[in-house]
Amino acid sequence: MPCTKLIKLLIYIAFILTGLKANAQVAILQNAIDKLESYKNFSYEYVYKQKEVFSDTLIYNQKFVLLKTPEDKAFGYFFRHELKYGDAKVTSTDLYNGTDLISLFPRDSTYNTRNVQAITFSQSLPGELNWIKTFLKKHPSKIAQSNDTSFNSINSYHLIVNTKDTIINKDHLYVRIHLFIDKATGLPVGKLTRSRTADFGKEVTNYYTEETYFNYKIDQDNINVASFAMPEGFHAPKEKPKEQSALLTQGMIAPDWTLYDTDGKKASLSQMKGKVVLLDFFFVGCVYCMNTLAPLDNLHEKYKNKNLVILSISDRDSKKLVTAFKKAQCIKNQMFPNARDVANLYQVTAAPTFYFIDQEGKIANIVDGYSEDFETKMSAIIDSLLKKS
């Protein structure tokens, strides 16, 4: 056989073997999905660890309980999600029983309803595994060859999925999901995600997450529709008296404060009188806060020679964390850690929240959250305030 034909044959064989290997791994994934879907109900616990270059490891202890509900067209399940952050003593609980997501707050026995049930379900094993399956259906070559391995002393299949692998400006950007499935039970026991990306924030950063699944319980007799009903004793939060929100009415004098920034420099709002001040209330790890980083940086550059100052205030993060975050994300404006009292003073209950203070020290505008037109909207407000100077 001529050398050229032999080489082509070997390449063809290698291609076929690679395809067979990929198909075998997809079959392992499908088997795990099928196994979970075969149960009337199941529950499991898991520990989620997240590590970024700029922060300490975040640890969440969680539990999912799922009831197979074919008549539910959205997910096919009713579910309960329990979460405890770090050393917190109180567990937060979300319930879905075919309508909105119900969030329970044991501290004061209150609840609220939110239309984010799809986000919560995506964090469950059915949600995660089916996302991987859908991705591989569109990108079958993105599953890598791997050898069986041991995960937490459990003999496991090891599947590796490359959801991103590219080079931009000589920087290798990637997202790799490592899924470990118990060879004996066919159920997932762990998932690692290693990534280097700028998708989360404005700078390229290394991220690492680890999820460990354990304590599976299957087809329990005490899990039924009633398990996902609102518990007795919970009530809607009482409305706050109107005078409690009067402090933040546009046109009123903004409450003064004194803080120390990441460089240890003392600052107060009263020192800023005569300038337009944009107060950015954020915390490290807030997804929508990360989305505002690049627009805020652009605003800082656009107005750096004008009468505007941008101040970012965290209600919960330490000086060490905010300093590392500022450095990793190349943030140019001043940042202030340990500012819970100031957040309370401005009655901030969600992040990001933005307050515009005019040259006279009055609240001129309030923007809650992030939107696709964030930068344009903020520029318009700033321009209108600067024209008054």
Side-chain angles (χ1 to χ4, degrees), residues 12-25 141 143 145:
Y12 177 74
I13 293 172
F15 179 79
I16 294 296
L17 291 175
T18 299
L20 291 173
K21 181 72 172 180
N23 288 337
Q25 292 181 320
S141 65
I143 190 164
Q145 294 188 23

Side-chain angles (χ1 to χ4, degrees), residues 54-56 259-266 282-284 312-328 331 334-340:
F54 44 77
S55 74
D56 296 329
L259 292 171
Y260 290 87
D261 68 12
T262 50
D263 295 323
K265 184 179 178 180
K266 186 178 180 180
F282 81 102
F283 66 87
V284 174
S312 295
I313 299 173
S314 173
D315 70 337
R316 65 183 71 181
D317 299 316
S318 67
K319 179 180 178 181
K320 177 183 176 182
L321 176 53
V322 176
T323 301
F325 178 70
K326 186 175 191 289
K327 181 179 179 181
I331 297 169
Q334 270 185 295
M335 304 192 81
F336 300 88
N338 299 314
R340 184 176 296 276

Side-chain angles (χ1 to χ4, degrees), residues 126-159:
E128 290 195 70
L129 296 181
N130 277 291
W131 183 90
I132 295 174
K133 175 187 173 182
T134 301
F135 175 84
L136 290 175
K137 188 174 182 179
K138 295 179 180 179
H139 310 279
S141 65
K142 298 299 183 180
I143 190 164
Q145 294 188 23
S146 57
N147 296 320
D148 296 345
T149 188
S150 177
F151 183 87
N152 287 347
S153 301
I154 298 173
N155 191 20
S156 304
Y157 297 112
H158 181 193
L159 313 183

Side-chain angles (χ1 to χ4, degrees), residues 1-14:
M1 181 181 294
C3 184
T4 302
K5 289 186 177 180
L6 178 59
I7 291 173
K8 288 182 178 179
L9 177 61
L10 291 175
I11 292 174
Y12 177 74
I13 293 172

Side-chain angles (χ1 to χ4, degrees), residues 25-242:
Q25 292 181 320
V26 171
I28 294 170
L29 172 66
Q30 185 63 57
N31 180 67
I33 294 172
D34 292 342
K35 196 151 195 174
L36 291 175
E37 290 184 346
S38 70
Y39 303 136
K40 293 183 296 184
N41 65 70
F42 66 94
S43 67
Y44 63 93
E45 297 178 47
Y46 71 108
V47 177
Y48 174 88
K49 297 180 181 180
Q50 176 177 308
K51 174 71 176 177
E52 297 104 6
V53 68
F54 44 77
S55 74
D56 296 329
T57 301
L58 301 175
I59 300 177
Y60 298 88
N61 295 285
Q62 305 183 63
K63 180 179 179 180
F64 258 103
V65 182
L66 298 103
L67 173 69
K68 188 73 174 177
T69 314
E71 60 269 25
D72 182 80
K73 301 304 181 183
F75 312 110
Y77 289 95
F78 288 173
F79 61 84
R80 181 170 72 241
H81 179 224
E82 301 173 4
L83 181 148
K84 185 183 292 186
Y85 169 69
D87 297 327
K89 296 180 179 179
V90 178
T91 300
S92 63
T93 302
D94 290 330
L95 299 171
Y96 172 75
N97 56 13
T99 54
D100 290 334
L101 195 73
I102 302 170
S103 296
L104 307 178
F105 303 100
R107 289 185 184 277
D108 57 0
S109 298
T110 60
Y111 73 89
N112 67 22
T113 57
R114 299 180 294 152
N115 189 27
V116 293
Q117 55 270 23
I119 296 174
T120 304
F121 183 75
S122 70
Q123 300 167 8
S124 70
L125 273 175
E128 290 195 70
L129 296 181
N130 277 291
W131 183 90
I132 295 174
K133 175 187 173 182
T134 301
F135 175 84
L136 290 175
K137 188 174 182 179
K138 295 179 180 179
H139 310 279
S141 65
K142 298 299 183 180
I143 190 164
Q145 294 188 23
S146 57
N147 296 320
D148 296 345
T149 188
S150 177
F151 183 87
N152 287 347
S153 301
I154 298 173
N155 191 20
S156 304
Y157 297 112
H158 181 193
L159 313 183
I160 304 174
V161 182
N162 294 316
T163 61
K164 172 186 283 188
D165 196 343
T166 187
I167 294 178
I168 299 178
N169 296 327
K170 298 182 179 180
D171 206 338
H172 185 198
L173 306 183
Y174 59 88
V175 178
R176 296 193 185 105
I177 298 174
H178 299 252
L179 182 64
F180 301 90
I181 296 177
D182 188 336
K183 295 187 72 174
T185 66
L187 297 174
V189 291
K191 181 165 80 77
L192 309 180
T193 302
R194 293 185 173 91
S195 61
R196 179 169 175 77
T197 179
D199 292 345
F200 192 61
K202 69 184 187 71
E203 302 294 331
V204 174
T205 307
N206 294 321
Y207 297 93
Y208 172 85
T209 64
E210 174 184 326
E211 296 172 57
T212 304
Y213 309 104
F214 58 97
N215 199 22
Y216 284 93
K217 294 183 179 179
I218 296 162
D219 292 340
Q220 303 170 77
D221 292 335
N222 62 336
I223 302 299
N224 50 46
V225 172
S227 306
F228 305 91
M230 173 81 70
E232 292 185 6
F234 281 82
H235 56 84
K238 296 179 180 178
E239 290 188 11
K240 294 181 179 180
K242 290 185 179 180

Side-chain angles (χ1 to χ4, degrees), residues 238-256:
K238 296 179 180 178
E239 290 188 11
K240 294 181 179 180
K242 290 185 179 180
E243 57 267 20
Q244 288 191 16
S245 61
L247 182 66
L248 301 181
T249 301
Q250 293 182 27
M252 297 192 69
I253 298 295
D256 193 18

